[in-house]
Amino acid sequence: MKGRRMCGTVTAADDGSRVVVAGWVNHRRDHGGLTFIDLRDHTGVVQLVFNPALAPEAHELAERCRLEWVLRVEGPVGRRPEGSENPNLPTGSVEITVDACEVLGQAEAMPIGVSDEVAADERVRLQYRYLDLRRPRMQRNLRARHRFVKSLRDVADQLGFIEIETPTMIPSTPEGARDFIVPSRLWPGHVWALPQSPQIYKQLCMVGGCDRYFQIARCWRDEDLRADRQFEFTQLDMEMSFVDEDEIFLVLEEMISKAFGEAFQIPVSTPWPRLPFSEAMRRFGSDKPDTRFDMELEDVSDIFRDSSFRVFKGALEEGGSVQALRVPGGAELTRGELEGEWLQVARTYGAAGLAYMWRRSGSFEGAITKFLSAEEQAALAGRLGVEDGDCVCFTAGRTAVARTSLGAVRLHAARRFDWIPKGRFDFLWITEFPLFEQDPVTGRVGSVHHPFTQPHPDDWELVRTDPIAVRSRSYDIVCNGVELGSGSLRITNPAQQAAIFEALGLSAEEAERKFGFLMSAFRYGPPPHGGFAAGIDRMVMLGVGETTIREVIAFPKTQSGGDPMTGSPTPVAVEQLTEVGLRLAPTLRPEPAVAPTGGGE
Ligand code: ASP
């Protein structure tokens, strides 16, 4: 639109000049024979005045128009009368006296409000997402996201990376989640998978001499949705040749810190601390520790080695441990709270129970106190630095479970006692994750990261003898208790890769069928390489201060995995299935997962 100014940019500097603005009717009121409209675009609102004596046609139009109509107006900018200024708006000292007005679009009664205060149900917001996107908060989030991604691209370019698009119809990727599959028409009974990540292709780019690859890559994983998980999400995906961990860390620290600064005005200092996985689990009971507050776990097994307290003793006899957490100020917690909410948190992570003691007037109180000797109590108080007014919580049992469940209690305590400082961003690297994990039910060994991850050089021997003890050359970025991404150095030696496949229980034939093309590529001069993938949605969520990634994705799915706006997923037509050689099993529900809803009723 010729000469159009953005609404939010009309200020006192424009006093006396003519402007053209266009946007949505945010608010309308009549006062003293005049009609006032706040016109909005994504930059803000500007006040329009319609005076019947000066411009009768425009005034008549203004009287007719309703909320969210789209207008183009023209007129001189003038100071608002004294006393009617709004110091909270950049445009608050001026108004446009409209002498020409055109309606560009009409709106029916709005199904949802578009101001930030509106608290519509999320399902309704997503049903009318195109209206929800008009809200200043959504506009701010999407624009911050754009700046963030742009900044990542700029820095990647400066660092010598090139963006390469990898295919989105591929064979299955071994990232450990369920694939979304696309049936093939030309090959009935065969499927493509949507990539869980561009992992294999980016490694092939390295074999292809591309050296420094990156991609703002869409990935798909068929998992249950959560606040920070969607079926499809976007990763900053990277791979580099001839690097070690230090070089990879340097690149990511530079990219992410610069992009956080440019997009969110959040200063992120570097380098980031590095914490081996085993230490993170020991100190925080989590592989994504929130390090904005201390309150670390203590292994107090040695204190209770000869305890007469059955619960502790039993755990230790079975090779487990006793973990303790000092909760400053916790003496105010009631028994109901500790045995209700707090116990529930511990149980969610597998703990059988949560023991606790209060500290008042120099001694411990609580049901378990009578089972603990004076020496044990004194040793505990000394080790944890217990003071009057504290509470000590314990978990006992298999060490991994005792730690993760008390780690969850630690986070719960932090929220309950408001220990988490606002406006702080604690980035860190978690390193040396285990290479393998064992499914507790099937006993099967699987990769913690993916099967192309290098074992720690000191642990190669253990791959055959004690795979669960093998550390890997993999690493995660964690910030404020959120895992933002992970990566690793890769195996490029076919014999070593074969050993890993074997440890994973993959027969040579199966490995050949699934990954033969990669193994074959590695026979022709693979450079050593490694990489990383970081979740764009999660990083933007943190950067703009949201608590779910749905607030930073233009068109997300609901938590139950549907799209109420388009009414999808939709039932499939028999002809469509026949074309790709498929037939629905009779047990399948013919109903769509989400009832279709008309867009604008
Ligand atoms: N492909 C991995 C992931 O998506 C990241 C990597 O190893 O580079 O988690």
Side-chain angles (χ1 to χ4, degrees), residues 175 196-199 202 219 221 235 237-239 449-450 453 486-488 490 531-533:
E175 294 286 356
Q196 292 184 32
S197 81
Q199 186 62 35
K202 67 175 171 176
C219 305
R221 297 184 190 178
Q235 288 195 340
D237 195 48
M238 316 197 62
E239 198 73 13
H449 196 45
H450 48 59
T453 301
S486 38
S488 62
R490 326 295 187 191
F532 196 83

Side-chain angles (χ1 to χ4, degrees), residues 553-576:
I553 296 175
F555 296 102
K557 310 283 182 272
T558 58
Q559 192 131 354
S560 53
D563 174 9
M565 182 176 71
T566 59
S568 47
T570 51
V572 62
V574 175
E575 306 80 71
Q576 230 178 345

Side-chain angles (χ1 to χ4, degrees), residues 118 145 268 329 334 360 411 444 485 521:
V118 130
R145 181 183 178 117
V268 174
T334 61
R360 295 186 183 116
L411 288 181
R444 274 188 69 118

Side-chain angles (χ1 to χ4, degrees), residues 366-435:
I368 69 165
T369 322
K370 59 176 175 290
F371 301 113
L372 309 184
S373 70
E375 294 75 44
E376 286 168 341
Q377 293 191 22
L380 185 75
R383 173 82 63 83
L384 300 183
V386 182
E387 289 173 11
D388 277 355
D390 292 351
C391 163
V392 179
C393 292
F394 303 90
T395 50
R398 216 155 54 78
T399 302
V401 175
R403 283 185 172 147
T404 33
S405 49
L406 199 58
V409 169
R410 172 181 178 268
L411 288 181
H412 187 71
R415 282 190 283 268
R416 165 69 171 76
F417 288 99
D418 213 5
W419 290 338
I420 304 177
K422 304 263 172 311
R424 205 170 125 175
F425 290 82
D426 273 21
F427 281 85
L428 69 150
W429 293 100
I430 305 294
T431 61
E432 296 180 9
F433 278 82
L435 189 67

